[in-house]
Amino acid sequence: MNKDDILLLLRTSRSGFVSGADLAASMGVSRTAVWKHIKALEREGYRIEAIPSKGYRLTTTPDVIVVSDVKRGLRTKTVGREIVHHTVIGSTNTLAMELAQKDATDGTVVITEIQTGGKGRLGRTWISPRGNLYLSVILRPAVPVHKAPLITLMGAVALAATVREHLKVPAGIKWPNDVLVSGKKVGGLLTEMSAEPDRIRHIVLGIGVNVNMDARELPPDVRRAATTLAAETGAPIDRTSFVKELLAALDNWYQRFLQDDSEVLKAWEGLNVTLGNRVTVSGTGTRLEGLACGVDAEGRLIVELNDGRRQPVAAGDVTILKTEGPGSGSKGPG
Ligand code: BT5
């Protein structure tokens, strides 16, 4: 028995009430065990009225992701076959890496409402208050290790495409892992991997999306460069339907990646806001300046330096110096 089972019984009861005895009997546990689950739900923000002669009744549901709601009607092949939901954890990526080590199913998704130690790239922090989406997907693709960076691009394509198609918000991708709307960051991706020299054991694709949070949760310097989906659409977003669309898009793009990864690159190019611009790349020791002119088959950014040399860059932070290409994020995929 778990809290989702109790919630389902409470939500589907015709009178609204379910007696403790009925809950205990349907789930094959003691009434004390039921009471403990009710208390745990209350700690998560559910309000449950208890009337001695009638039983329990759900009066307030917090805005949390409920796994059974996400799974309902979700027709994916790999992504979301298992979904693990928490209210608060350190980092979904860290937990997903641990679960992957313990042989979690390919496609397992870890979601949390809040992260206390959300990770960005290069040791940075991903600020993770309530109201957004923080999730990680465990993947075990049978592809060569050097193809792993394409998983980040694949995730960015899925996220940007979901924002565009589901919310009609013109999201674009800044190499390698930022999803932007009107030049501001709405989502970021962090991929971690465990591999042998010639084999990927598992990859964890972590995605953070600013959905409904109050932007004042971010410190001013971060806030200036950030936005939320709710701010861009002008209304709160239904996170459950958004996450369903996102998991479906991830699954779709992951299957395409496995079949022919050039499709992912093509879609990435169609959504990117980096190529065609003069950029600086920093963050990994060296600093380069030049024209961002392409991505190679391994997802590296190709920067044409002033002397005409073409330098592939595997990691770093891109600053766009001057927009020379048409539009910034208004192009469609592929
Ligand atoms: C990223 O790093 O953009 C990767 C973010 C990945 C977060 C997800 S959440 C689920 C999973 N579990 C994790 O622990 N992580 C992943 P990077 O490119 O290094 O950007 C980090 C920088 O973005 C920070 O230094 C801030 O300047 C800024 N930032 C931090 N939190 C932000 C937020 N909520 N919205 C916008 N910008 C933010």
Side-chain angles (χ1 to χ4, degrees):
M1 167 173 97
N2 64 41
K3 62 175 198 238
D4 277 0
D5 297 327
I6 291 201
L7 280 175
L8 189 67
L9 289 168
L10 290 173
R11 285 155 137 202
T12 51
S13 148
R14 224 182 272 158
S15 66
F17 283 97
V18 187
S19 74
D22 283 349
L23 282 174
S26 335
M27 320 191 87
V29 297
S30 71
R31 290 184 64 170
T32 315
V34 168
W35 182 81
K36 282 188 183 158
H37 278 285
I38 297 278
K39 289 291 146 202
L41 285 168
E42 285 179 343
R43 281 195 296 276
E44 288 181 22
Y46 291 90
R47 289 288 158 266
I48 297 162
E49 185 182 22
I51 295 188
S53 57
K54 295 183 172 171
Y56 295 106
R57 185 167 73 104
L58 184 61
T59 57
T60 307
T61 302
D63 177 24
V64 293
I65 299 288
V66 176
V67 171
S68 54
D69 290 345
V70 176
K71 282 197 165 164
R72 193 169 308 126
L74 184 72
R75 275 182 287 275
T76 53
K77 198 169 162 195
T78 312
V79 177
R81 283 201 293 189
E82 298 281 341
I83 301 177
V84 180
H85 174 266
H86 286 266
T87 307
V88 184
I89 52 173
S91 153
T92 56
N93 263 39
T94 305
L95 178 60
M97 286 297 277
E98 284 165 20
L99 295 176
Q101 213 90 49
K102 293 182 200 147
D103 295 329
T105 316
D106 191 15
T108 297
V109 173
V110 178
I111 306 186
T112 190
E113 303 294 329
I114 296 170
Q115 291 185 122
T116 52
K119 298 188 288 185
R121 292 175 308 137
L122 311 167
R124 290 185 291 233
T125 301
W126 187 254
I127 302 164
S128 309
R130 200 183 271 284
N132 294 334
L133 279 174
Y134 312 103
L135 63 90
S136 299
V137 190
I138 299 172
L139 297 170
R140 304 181 194 282
V143 299
V145 178
H146 67 267
K147 291 287 185 188
L150 292 180
I151 291 281
T152 310
L153 303 195
M154 185 280 287
V157 166
L159 175 56
T162 303
V163 172
R164 296 177 76 95
E165 285 157 29
H166 184 57
L167 301 176
K168 312 289 178 229
V169 168
I173 305 169
K174 188 172 76 125
W175 186 90
N177 70 325
D178 289 357
V179 173
L180 308 180
V181 178
S182 334
K184 293 180 168 185
K185 188 154 169 171
V186 76
L189 295 95
L190 174 69
T191 309
E192 295 182 69
M193 173 169 72
S194 164
E196 290 157 21
D198 55 355
R199 186 180 76 95
I200 294 172
R201 275 195 218 101
H202 50 260
I203 292 184
V204 163
L205 171 63
I207 304 180
V209 195
N210 296 336
V211 184
N212 291 329
M213 79 168 164
D214 185 336
R216 282 171 299 188
E217 302 260 15
L218 299 175
D221 56 325
V222 177
R223 197 188 312 159
R224 266 192 292 278
T227 188
T228 66
L229 294 175
E232 295 301 324
T233 57
I237 308 291
D238 175 347
R239 289 185 311 142
T240 303
S241 48
F242 185 82
V243 85
K244 284 171 95 147
E245 298 286 340
L246 178 59
L247 297 184
L250 283 167
D251 191 68
N252 176 13
W253 281 106
Y254 183 57
Q255 309 308 334
R256 292 205 213 177
F257 163 78
L258 293 176
Q259 276 162 22
D260 177 5
D261 58 35
S262 69
E263 270 201 54
V264 170
L265 281 170
K266 216 169 84 196
W268 187 91
E269 280 171 8
L271 286 163
N272 95 89
V273 296
T274 311
L275 303 185
N277 295 306
R278 287 199 67 77
V279 296
T280 58
V281 190
S282 58
T284 51
T286 53
R287 187 174 177 282
L288 296 176
E289 184 174 328
L291 178 71
C293 58
V295 282
D296 68 12
E298 293 169 18
R300 291 179 301 185
L301 182 69
I302 310 296
V303 180
E304 190 178 289
L305 307 176
N306 291 339
D307 61 11
R309 272 186 305 132
R310 292 184 155 217
Q311 175 87 44
V313 184
D317 289 312
V318 167
T319 306
I320 297 173
L321 296 177
K322 195 166 124 227
T323 304
E324 290 176 2
S328 50
S330 56
K331 291 173 279 176

